[in-house]
Amino acid sequence: MLAPTVQPGLTFPSFTRSLMVLLLLGGTHLFEMVQAQTTGNHTVTITVATITAVQVSSGSVSMSITGAGVAAGQDLMTVSDQSTNLLWGINSANRKITVSTSLGSQTFSLRVVAISPTQGIAAPEVTLSTVANDFLLSVGRSSGSCGIGYTGLALASQGTGSDSHSITFTVQSE
Amino acid sequence: MIHFSRYALLVFFSLVASTGWLYAQLTLAGGNPTLSITTGMAGAEPIAVVNTATTIDYEKSASVQKITVLTSCLGQSFTLKVVATGASFGTPAPEVTLTQGMLATDLITGIPSKPPGPNKGSCTLRYTASATFAQGNSSEQGNDVHTVTYTILAQ
Amino acid sequence: MQRTNILKLLPAAVLFALFGVMPPGTAKAQGIIAQQTVTLEVLELNKIGINRNALTLIIQEADVQAGVPLPVTNSDGALFWMTNGENKKITVASSNAAPRFNLTLMAVDVEQSAGLSLPEIPLNDAQTKDFIIGVTRAVGRCQIRYTASTQVSAGTGRETYVITYTITGS
Amino acid sequence: MKKSLAVLAIAILSLSFIQESNAQASANQTVNLTVSAVYKISTSGNPGALTISNGTAGVDALTSVSDNSTTYSITQNVGNTVKVTAYLNSALSSGYTLTLGLASTQGTSAGSVDISNATSGSAVDVVTAISRGADAGQTISYNFSADASAGTLSATSKTVTLTLTN
């Protein structure tokens, strides 16, 4: 707030005239000076929800043991697939990804392992079962991807057939 | 003596008015925004959110001015940026990243002196909040609360 | 109906043609092979053998009126041979180049098509003489008829002949 | 006041929905594993030359020769009706005989089988009733015999084809 100062010896009528002149010249400015504000602030709040996103690059994988690469005399026959990837984005700490299958009664064996994860640590290769097994460890607060390495195993003595698995990758607390 | 004092006062006010620091004006409108990041893509990062609900009303003065911005946010976890859009006068600076401990940074520069033209103008504040998965979430880290200060001053 | 069956089989046929893959349960009449190369060879083989390694002919009677010793014969010996070659013959040779007594021999009872016997062969020197000819891819057997004779002037004594039979190319 | 509470409730509900929708903690993938009919048979190599070089005077049959130096292996997942057949690329002349014997633990060996006249149209069974699974390193036995009356035979290669079939 500013107020005009009055010098000693100034007569009131003269002061009044001066003030009038002043108001005429700068009255508007004076009003503004009374209202003047050079800074302003407000509060901006950022909230980040718990986000857990996991997806596969393709919803289906087909593997077929046809005998290619099988040596005669060898009972064990295998087929591998690394055509798909798992992607995730997790902003919570201490998380891992597990894997399980819905197929309780399997004719053949199906193994899975994470390949070259960009974050976290791949768990050892596991044989899929309905019980969740570790697939990737230490993937908390990260975004990344890895290859999904499947290996199907069949013994010749098991004959022919097919297994249809619904594989579930789940983010869980470590 | 009387005439000297009368004209001295007049000159004083005129000078004060011409310097502009006494009656430059800036007002924030639109309240205190909250930006919530809720979505993210696997293999990518959470999706940034934008808020344009707040504005700055400001006025020309007798001199060329600018508006600066700075923030105070203790324990900052996430990223907040601001840029002025649709400024009536002056030139908006590039987007400013608001970080704890930053110096006042130009938001709008070259606000012309008056006259001519209208004295009052405004701009929209475009806030962009972003976070990476690695930066965590509010449940674990708490929210980021920024006190953002805008100042208009002679350039 | 037949066309329907063909159409049903078509996808499997295409799958097999493209990838060599048969769908489960359609394996009938399918198979896979392994091959080996076997090299067979039969060398020319000529074998000859005799059943009696030692025979003794003793001249011990004489025709008093003619004043000559009577010859003796022996057919106890048998000769066996085998050849898978062509145009073979069997020869005979004596080790006694200048015998004091007379010894002849002849193949008798030669199996049909096993060879052709030649007339009586004198072993009066050490030359090799044909014994059986015309032996081709054959297995044969014959009796060897030895005949020993002498002159009074030859006196008495003992002579030993080592007689060698050989199957050889003609 | 009531209106404010309702707006607040809707806002909270919306936020919860968004968070829940993004808190997708699992992903599904279908994996089909198919095992087709597999037939595999192989041999360890070729046997040595079977050369008849001996015989007996007075005996037409020459001394036969044999080879047991090679093996075969099979893998099949089809069933118990699988068998191994054998044939030659061309029959042997009269007076020569080639027999083949395949040992087996998964099936029934036919023993030593004459394949002298077995050609592609008249393959002979050498192992039958092979059960599903693998049988590795089983011995292959060849025996070659000839009659002297058949004459000599210069070195001749014959291709023996073993077929694993149903």
Side-chain angles (χ1 to χ4, degrees):
Chain A
M1 293 290 287
L2 295 173
T5 56
V6 179
Q7 294 188 353
L10 185 65
T11 59
F12 185 72
S14 300
F15 175 72
T16 304
R17 283 199 298 271
S18 300
L19 188 57
M20 288 174 67
V21 171
L22 182 62
L23 287 172
L24 285 172
L25 292 173
T28 306
H29 289 178
L30 183 62
F31 180 76
E32 287 175 351
M33 284 186 287
V34 171
Q35 298 294 323
Q37 182 181 354
T38 59
T39 66
N41 61 53
H42 61 188
T43 300
V44 179
T45 303
I46 302 176
T47 66
V48 178
T50 299
I51 301 172
T52 304
V54 58
Q55 69 178 72
V56 290
S57 60
S58 174
S60 66
V61 170
S62 291
M63 304 165 70
S64 187
I65 292 177
T66 62
V70 174
Q74 176 186 330
D75 198 21
L76 180 63
M77 304 181 290
T78 63
V79 61
S80 295
D81 181 277
Q82 297 181 3
S83 65
T84 59
N85 296 313
L86 182 73
L87 302 94
W88 68 90
I90 303 164
N91 65 359
S92 300
N94 303 321
R95 290 293 187 274
K96 66 179 180 180
I97 298 176
T98 62
V99 63
S100 62
T101 177
S102 63
L103 189 60
S105 179
Q106 304 172 31
T107 305
F108 312 108
S109 290
L110 182 61
R111 293 180 182 170
V112 66
V113 67
I115 298 170
S116 303
T118 58
Q119 301 285 334
I121 301 165
E125 186 178 46
V126 294
T127 299
L128 281 162
S129 70
T130 54
V131 177
N133 284 292
D134 289 347
F135 179 71
L136 264 176
L137 304 171
S138 302
V139 290
R141 287 188 187 168
S142 72
S143 171
S145 65
C146 69
I148 305 172
Y150 289 108
T151 301
L153 301 95
L155 297 175
S157 52
Q158 290 175 312
T160 60
S162 61
D163 284 344
S164 184
H165 294 259
S166 179
I167 310 293
T168 301
F169 297 93
T170 306
V171 177
Q172 295 183 356
S173 296
E174 283 190 317
Chain B
M1 181 64 185
I2 292 172
H3 283 93
F4 173 78
S5 300
R6 186 182 300 160
Y7 288 107
L9 193 61
L10 201 59
V11 168
F12 171 75
F13 277 107
S14 295
L15 287 172
V16 166
S18 66
T19 58
W21 61 267
L22 281 178
Y23 68 94
Q25 187 172 348
L26 178 147
T27 305
L28 287 168
N32 298 312
T34 296
L35 292 89
S36 296
I37 297 171
T38 59
T39 58
M41 297 289 288
E45 294 294 355
I47 297 171
V49 294
V50 172
N51 182 290
T52 57
T54 57
T55 59
I56 300 177
D57 298 324
Y58 56 99
E59 292 184 14
K60 293 178 182 176
S61 73
S63 61
V64 176
Q65 300 175 103
K66 67 178 180 179
I67 297 173
T68 62
V69 61
L70 62 81
T71 188
S72 171
C73 178
L74 296 177
Q76 182 179 2
S77 299
F78 313 115
T79 302
L80 180 63
K81 296 179 180 179
V82 67
V83 65
T85 63
S88 304
F89 320 123
T91 303
E95 191 172 47
V96 177
T97 300
L98 301 174
T99 55
Q100 165 64 23
M102 68 184 291
L103 299 174
T105 304
D106 291 348
L107 183 74
I108 299 175
T109 59
I111 299 170
S113 58
K114 63 179 181 181
N119 291 339
K120 292 186 177 179
S122 67
C123 70
T124 298
L125 294 174
R126 177 186 170 88
Y127 285 106
T128 301
S130 62
T132 64
F133 282 108
Q135 288 172 333
N137 61 65
S138 293
S139 297
E140 296 174 354
Q141 310 281 100
N143 295 335
D144 276 4
V145 180
H146 290 258
T147 300
V148 186
T149 301
Y150 296 90
T151 302
I152 187 167
L153 70 166
Q155 188 170 333
Chain C
M1 183 64 182
Q2 192 172 359
R3 183 176 176 180
T4 306
N5 289 337
I6 291 171
L7 290 175
K8 282 179 180 176
L9 291 172
L10 193 58
V14 170
L15 189 65
F16 182 70
L18 290 177
F19 305 110
V21 173
M22 286 302 292
T26 59
K28 192 75 176 177
Q30 295 304 315
I32 194 165
I33 64 171
Q35 291 185 323
Q36 281 188 314
T37 299
V38 181
T39 302
L40 306 176
E41 187 177 16
V42 181
L43 303 179
E44 182 180 293
L45 298 172
N46 301 293
K47 294 286 182 180
I48 193 164
I50 199 163
N51 69 336
R52 299 283 294 270
N53 288 326
L55 289 174
T56 301
L57 285 84
I58 301 172
I59 299 172
Q60 55 187 359
E61 293 180 3
D63 182 343
V64 178
Q65 288 183 342
V68 294
L70 291 175
V72 294
T73 62
N74 183 300
S75 299
D76 293 342
L79 187 68
F80 307 90
W81 65 92
M82 177 279 292
T83 180
N84 59 357
E86 306 279 342
N87 301 320
K88 302 296 178 186
K89 65 180 180 182
I90 297 171
T91 61
V92 63
S94 169
S95 61
N96 196 337
R100 178 159 39 127
F101 306 117
N102 301 319
L103 180 63
T104 64
L105 77 169
M106 183 178 178
V108 296
D109 299 333
V110 178
E111 285 185 1
Q112 190 175 10
S113 73
L116 181 63
S117 175
L118 292 174
E120 198 85 30
I121 301 162
L123 295 180
N124 52 2
D125 54 28
Q127 296 294 312
T128 299
K129 299 178 171 72
D130 289 348
F131 180 56
I132 296 173
I133 61 172
V135 178
T136 294
R137 284 187 280 157
V139 174
R141 179 184 187 282
C142 70
Q143 296 300 122
I144 306 169
R145 189 182 70 190
Y146 292 98
T147 301
S149 60
T150 187
Q151 303 297 321
V152 174
S153 57
T156 61
R158 174 188 292 263
E159 272 191 331
T160 300
Y161 298 75
V162 176
I163 302 168
T164 302
Y165 298 91
T166 304
I167 185 165
T168 182
S170 58
Chain D
M1 183 63 181
K2 284 183 178 177
K3 188 176 179 183
S4 300
L5 284 174
V7 170
L8 183 63
I10 290 169
I12 292 171
L13 192 62
S14 300
L15 183 62
S16 300
F17 174 75
I18 290 169
Q19 288 196 349
E20 186 62 32
S21 67
N22 283 288
Q24 180 188 0
S26 66
N28 289 323
Q29 187 174 46
T30 300
V31 177
N32 291 308
L33 175 59
T34 303
V35 180
S36 305
V38 173
Y39 293 90
K40 290 283 180 178
I41 183 169
S42 67
T43 59
S44 60
N46 296 322
L50 292 164
T51 302
I52 293 177
S53 59
N54 207 353
T56 302
V59 178
D60 193 26
L62 304 180
T63 304
S64 64
V65 292
S66 60
D67 183 284
N68 300 321
S69 65
T70 61
T71 60
Y72 78 98
S73 299
I74 57 171
T75 294
Q76 62 91 8
N77 62 353
V78 179
N80 298 333
T81 57
V82 173
K83 62 184 180 181
V84 178
T85 64
Y87 66 86
L88 295 175
N89 58 326
S90 60
L92 295 179
S93 301
S94 176
Y96 303 105
T97 304
L98 182 64
T99 64
L100 172 67
L102 269 61
S104 178
T105 57
Q106 291 286 102
T108 303
S109 173
S112 187
V113 177
D114 187 352
I115 60 171
S116 307
N117 295 306
T119 54
S120 60
S122 57
V124 295
D125 294 349
V126 286
V127 182
T128 56
I130 302 171
S131 58
R132 283 191 300 233
D135 207 0
Q138 295 298 318
T139 300
I140 300 174
S141 299
Y142 285 101
N143 186 274
F144 179 46
S145 58
D147 292 337
S149 53
T152 59
L153 181 67
S154 57
T156 301
S157 292
K158 291 288 182 182
T159 301
V160 179
T161 300
L162 302 176
T163 305
L164 184 62
T165 186
N166 194 7

